[in-house]
Amino acid sequence: MTTFLIPFAISAAAAILAAVLCVWLRPLLVRYALARPNARSSHKVPTPQGGGIAVLAGAFLALALGLWLSPLEGEAGRTLLVVALAATALAVVGAWDDIRPLPAGLRLVLQAACVGFVLFRAAPELRLFPELMPLALERALALLAGVWFVNLVNFMDGLDWITLAGIVPLTGALALAGGYGIVDPLTGWLAAAICGGLVGFAPFNRPVARLFLGDVGSLPIGLVTAYLLYRLAGTGAFAAALILPLYHVADSTITLLRRLLRGERVWEAHRSHFYQQATANGFSVMAVVGQVFLLNLVLAGLAAVALAVPGLPTQFACVALAVMLTGLLLRRFATGPRHG
C-alpha cells in the first residue's frame, strides 16, 4: 500500500470498527451508563453515554493494523504507544466520572498526569519558543494548555454532533496533509484514526442522538487532538495550529472568562456556551452544528494556505481572517438568527 493511501485506509478501518462497536456496546451502555436529563442538559430523554469507548477502540485498533502492515520508522511506533496509553488512562478517568462523578480537584490532577505523560514521553525534544523562554517555562505553559484543551473539548461536547463538527474537519485536514506528505506520517496516521472513529460514531450521535460520547470519549479525544496540534506547531506551523481549533478554543475560553468574572463555579455544569445560547435563541441543533462544521471547513482551508505560504504577511492574514469569521459566528449565536 502506498504511503499516500495509508491514512485513508486507517480512517476507513477506524470508522467501520467504531460503528460496529457502537452497535455492540449500546445495549450495555443503556443498562449501565444512562445520562438522564436535567435543567442544564441539551437532551430531553435519558440517553446512553460512553460512545467514546467505540471511537477510541476503533481508532487505536485501526492504527495498530496500519502499523502492522506498514511499520513507521524510528521512535514513531513508541510515541504512538505513549499517546495511546495516556489516552486510555484518561478514558478510564472519564468513564469513572461518567458513572460516579469525581471531585473537581482529583479530576484535574489525573488529567494533568496524563497530559504530562504525553508531553514528557512523546514530545521530549519538541520546542515551540526556544529563543523566547527557558525549557521549564515552555513545558509548564504546554502542560497548562494541554489540560485546558482536554477540558474545553469536554465542555464543548454538550450538543449532538458538536464535537464531530469541530474535530472531524481538524483531524481530517491533518490526515489529508499526512497523505500528501505535508505533515509527518505519525501526525497524519493518528489524525486519520481519530477522524475515522468519529465518523463511525456519527450515525449514532446524529440529532436526536441515540448515543453520547461521554467523558470517556471527549477527554481522550481532547488529549490526542492537543498533541496533534502541538506537533504541528512544533514544525513551525504555529499559525495553522492556532487556526484549526479556533472555534472550540474561542467559544470555551470566552465562556470560561465570563463565568470567572461573574464569580461562578466554573467546574459546574451550565448552559452559557455560545453554541448553547444559539439553541436558546432560536437556532435548531442542526443549524448550530452545520454552521460550526462549515466554519471549521473554512478554518481548515485557511490553515492549509498558512502551511502552503510560509511568509509572515500570509500567516497574519490567515489568522486575522480566521479570528474575524469565528467572531462573527459567535456573535450570530449570541444574538440569534434575526440579528446574525
Side-chain angles (χ1 to χ4, degrees):
M1 185 180 296
T2 65
T3 303
F4 174 78
L5 292 177
I6 292 175
F8 303 98
I10 289 173
S11 189
I16 294 169
L17 289 167
V20 171
L21 287 168
C22 282
V23 172
W24 181 67
L25 285 172
R26 190 176 180 277
L28 295 173
L29 297 173
V30 168
R31 183 173 181 180
Y32 295 109
L34 205 60
R36 301 189 181 279
N38 55 48
R40 294 176 178 176
S41 303
S42 296
H43 62 292
K44 304 299 183 184
V45 297
T47 305
Q49 58 186 344
I53 299 171
V55 173
L56 286 179
F60 290 142
L61 285 172
L63 200 55
L65 180 61
L67 287 170
W68 179 63
L69 292 174
S70 181
L72 290 174
E73 297 179 357
E75 291 290 308
R78 186 195 67 83
T79 299
L80 285 174
L81 179 60
V82 168
V83 175
L85 288 173
T88 301
L90 199 51
V92 172
V93 173
W96 189 283
D97 201 41
D98 282 335
I99 297 170
R100 183 176 297 175
L102 295 168
L106 176 59
R107 188 167 63 238
L108 197 62
V109 168
L110 293 172
Q111 291 170 359
C114 293
V115 172
F117 182 66
V118 170
L119 184 63
F120 292 103
R121 297 301 300 272
E125 306 298 329
L126 194 58
R127 294 293 306 272
L128 301 188
F129 310 109
E131 295 86 11
L132 296 179
M133 62 184 70
L135 177 62
L137 178 58
E138 183 175 320
R139 285 286 188 261
L141 292 175
L143 180 64
L144 182 63
V147 171
W148 173 229
F149 202 92
V150 165
N151 280 281
L152 75 83
V153 172
N154 183 37
F155 294 159
M156 293 293 291
D157 189 41
L159 200 66
D160 300 341
W161 264 5
I162 190 75
T163 297
L164 280 77
I167 305 300
V168 166
L170 187 161
T171 52
L174 290 176
L176 188 63
Y180 281 101
I182 299 171
V183 299
D184 63 276
L186 188 156
T187 299
W189 289 23
L190 186 55
I194 295 298
C195 182
L198 285 170
V199 169
F201 169 70
F204 304 89
N205 192 239
R206 180 182 184 275
V208 175
R210 295 183 292 129
L211 185 61
F212 295 153
L213 271 178
D215 288 4
V216 67
S218 60
L219 294 177
I221 287 171
L223 175 63
V224 174
T225 306
Y227 175 67
L228 290 170
L229 293 169
Y230 189 51
R231 285 186 65 87
L232 181 64
T235 66
F238 189 80
L242 180 65
I243 291 168
L244 281 169
L246 190 56
Y247 174 78
H248 266 48
V249 170
D251 190 327
S252 53
T253 303
I254 294 171
T255 301
L256 175 71
L257 294 175
R258 285 178 169 178
R259 297 189 71 209
L260 283 171
L261 290 172
R262 291 196 293 262
E264 298 178 15
R265 297 181 177 181
V266 295
W267 56 87
E268 293 183 349
H270 62 96
R271 286 189 52 79
S272 52
H273 281 287
F274 286 88
Y275 72 88
Q276 293 169 324
Q277 294 178 47
T279 57
N281 287 333
F283 285 105
S284 68
V285 171
M286 288 298 292
V288 173
V289 296
Q291 290 175 82
V292 171
F293 182 73
L294 288 174
L295 172 64
N296 279 299
L297 288 179
V298 174
L299 293 180
L302 289 172
V305 173
L307 278 170
V309 186
L312 280 179
T314 303
Q315 306 285 300
F316 281 121
C318 289
V319 171
L321 184 55
V323 170
M324 183 190 72
L325 293 173
T326 301
L328 288 173
L329 184 59
L330 293 175
R331 180 181 179 276
R332 179 172 171 79
F333 283 171
T335 57
R338 293 183 179 179
H339 303 90

